[in-house]
Amino acid sequence: LIPVPNQPGVTQNYDFVTALSQNTGNLGVRFNQPLSRKNRLAVSYSRQKRDNERAQLFGFLYPNRTTGFTSDVSWTAHFSRNFIHVLKWNFTRSRADTTPYFAYRRDVARELGIGGTSPDPLNWGPPNLSFTNFADLRDASPVERQEQSSGVAESLTLVRGRHSFSFGGEFRRNRLDTRTDQNARGSYSFSGLMSSAVDARGNPLAGTGFDFADFLLGYPQSASLRYGSNLTYFRETVASGFFQDDWRIRRNFTLLAGVRYEYFSPYRERAGRIANLDVAPGFTGVAVVTPASPNGPYSGEFPPGLIDPDRNNFSPRFGLAWRPSSKHALHVRAGYAWHYNGSIYGQFATRLNAQPPFASTAHQSTTLTDPLTIRNGFLAVSPQQIRNTYAIDRHYRAGYAQTWNLSIQKDLPFSLVGEVGYLATKGTRLDVQRLPNRAPPGSPLTAEQRRQIGNAVGFTFESSEGSSIYHSAQIRLTRRLRSGMSANALYTFGKSIDNASTFGGGGSVVAQNDKDLRAERGLSSFDQRHALALTYYLSSPVGLGASFIRARGWWGAAFKDWAVSGTLTARSGTPFTARVLGNRSDSGGTGVVGNGRAEATGESIAGGRFFNPAAFTLPPIGRYGNAGRNTVPGPPFFSLNLAFGRSFRMGGDNRRMDLRLESNNLTNTVSYTALSTVVNSLTYGLPAAAAPMRSLHATLRFRF
C-alpha cells in the first residue's frame, strides 16, 4: 500500500497528481407578494447538491456527497409609518456522506492478521500509520451526518423623534444526527524507539533509531482504536434577544447603543450515549459520568448534557458616526462589540459520544520489556480501569471576543477616498487542551504507574481558560468608479498573541507542560505582520460613451464593453513551532509529551532558505524543550488573480451572452504555506506544502 519513490533524492521523493470530478447543482426560488398596502409576504427556497471526489496522498480516492436545502417565510407589517414588524421562520436541513476508499472493498486488517479492529465493512481498510520522517498512510473515516435547524425570529423597529429603536428575539432548535467511527481501523505511530540505543533508564539516545525501521520490524510506539456507538442523535436549544437604539443626536452625529443576550444549551444525546469525566481538584482522581449515572464523586450531579449551562451571555454593542465638517468631507467612525462562540457545543457532543462505555477503545504505549506489535497492538489490554481519552471541564463557559475599532475617512482629489483605522480583538475564555495524566519527562517507558491518576489512561482535558489579544493599524485607499476605473487597496500592520490560537476548539495543539500554561503564550498561529489586499476594475476606453476613445462602426463594436478585474494579495507568512517527534517524544500523549517543543540553541532564527536550522536542537533527556510557540517565521505569500470578459447583446435587451476568462495565481508564483520544523526529521527545514499554482477558467453564460 505504501508506494515506492517516483522522484530522485531521499526526501520529498514522491509526487502524486490526479484529476478529481466535481458536480454541483443549485436551485433557488423566491416569491414576494403584497397582501395589502401595509403587509407583505416573502417566501424563499434554495437547494444544493454536491458530489465530488477527494484524494489521499497515496492514490486513495473516495467520494464525498453533500445535499441540503433552506427555506424562509417572512411577514412584514407596517403598522404605521414609524412602526415596522417582521416575523420570520427558517428551516434548514443538510446531509453529508463520506465513504472511505477501502469501505466494502477490502478488509486489509483481517488479511494481515491484525486483530481488534471493527468488523463492519464500512470500516474496512488498513490502520492509519504515522511517521516522523515519512508521509502518513491514511484513509478517510466514514461519516454520515445530518443536521437540521428550525427557528422563529421576530423583530420590531420603532421610530420616535431622533431615536430608532430595534428589539426582538429568536428561538431555535438544532438537531445533529451522525453515524461515524472516528478510528475504527485503528492508528499506529512509529518513532524509531525500538531500533534506538537507550540509557540505563530506558530513554532513547539522540542520533539513534529510525521510524521506518521500527515499521519494517513491526514495532509501533503507540496504538489507538475507537469504535462502537456510531449512531447518535443530538439536540440543542438556542435562544436570543436584543435591544438597540440608533440615536441621531445631531445631523452630523449618530450614536448607537444596544445589548444582546444569547443562550446555547449543551447538546443532549437522545439515548444518553455520552460520557464525561468528573475530575478531582488538582487532577488527583477522575470518575466516569453519564446521563444515566450523573452523580460524580468529586463535584456532584452533572446536568443531562454533562456540561453546566452558561446563562450569562450578555454582549453590549456601541457605535458612533461623526462628520466634524462637511466642508472637508471628514468622517469619524468607532465601534465596540462582544461576540460569543456558541457553535463549540456541537464539537463537544461528538467527542463525548466516542468514549467508553459507549465505544470500544484501546490506547497503548509500548514498553521495552513488553513491546507492542502491529498484530497485537489493538488487542493489548490496558490495566487501567478508566479508558476515556477525552473530557471537558464541567464548568466550561463559552468563549467570547471583544472587538473595538476607530477609523477616520477623508475625501481626496481625483475621486480618491483615504482612510486610516485601528482594529483590536481580545479573546477571553478560549479553549485550552492539556494532558494532565502523564508521566514526567524522562520517565522510563515501563513506569506507567507514575501517572498521577493510576487507574486512568492519559486523557485530553479541555477547558476555557485561554486568552488572546490582537492589535492592528490599517490604511485604505479607494478610487471610486470614474472613467471606467475603480480600485481599493488595504494595508494592515498587526500582531496577535495568545495561548490558544483557536476561538473555540483547541484542535491538535495540546499544552506541552500541563503545569506551566504560561509557557504556551506566544504569537498566534494566524499572526501576520503585514498584509496588502488590492482589488481593481478597468473597463474598455473604446465606444460611443467612452471618455478616452470614441469609436463607431466595427472597430468600436469589437473593442467596447470589455472589462478587466482582479485581486492582488501579498502578505507575510504565519509562524511555526520548532518541535520534537520520533523516539524523543511520546506521540501517544500518555508518557513524555504530546506535542513537544525543541530546545533553543541561542543562535539567530533568521538565516538559511527559510530559517536557521541550527537555532534549534533536541532538548536534554528528562526536560521539556525551552523553544517558544510559533517562533519560526513563515514564508511570504503572493497571488495575482485576473479576470477578462464582456457581455454581448443577443437580439434584445433581455437576452445576453457573457464571456469571462479567469486566472488564479496568474504569475504562477510559488507560495509555501507550511514548513517542516521537526528537528529530528529528515525533512527538517524544508517546505512541506504550497498554495495552488496557476489555474485558468473560461465561462460562457446565456441569460434570458
Side-chain angles (χ1 to χ4, degrees), residues 334-355:
Y336 173 83
W338 197 309
H339 306 276
Y340 284 94
N341 177 40
S343 62
I344 185 65
Y345 291 107
Q347 301 177 35
F348 292 160
T350 55
R351 298 194 69 176
L352 291 178
N353 165 258
Q355 298 294 323

Side-chain angles (χ1 to χ4, degrees), residues 169-225:
E170 181 181 18
F171 179 82
R172 180 170 295 276
R173 287 282 295 172
N174 295 326
R175 170 178 168 178
L176 173 62
D177 299 340
T178 64
R179 181 193 178 198
T180 181
D181 276 320
Q182 298 176 354
N183 193 18
R185 295 187 306 274
S187 298
Y188 284 125
S189 177
F190 298 90
S191 66
L193 174 68
M194 300 307 294
S195 55
S196 298
V198 296
D199 62 13
R201 293 174 54 83
N203 293 304
L205 300 179
T208 65
F210 196 59
D211 53 355
F212 205 72
D214 280 18
F215 168 68
L216 296 177
L217 294 171
Y219 291 120
Q221 175 167 322
S222 65
S224 63
L225 179 77

Side-chain angles (χ1 to χ4, degrees), residues 19-22 51-55 61-64:
L20 302 175
S21 64
Q22 300 185 38
D51 292 304
N52 58 74
E53 283 184 317
R54 297 184 180 180
L61 305 182
Y62 61 94
N64 183 267

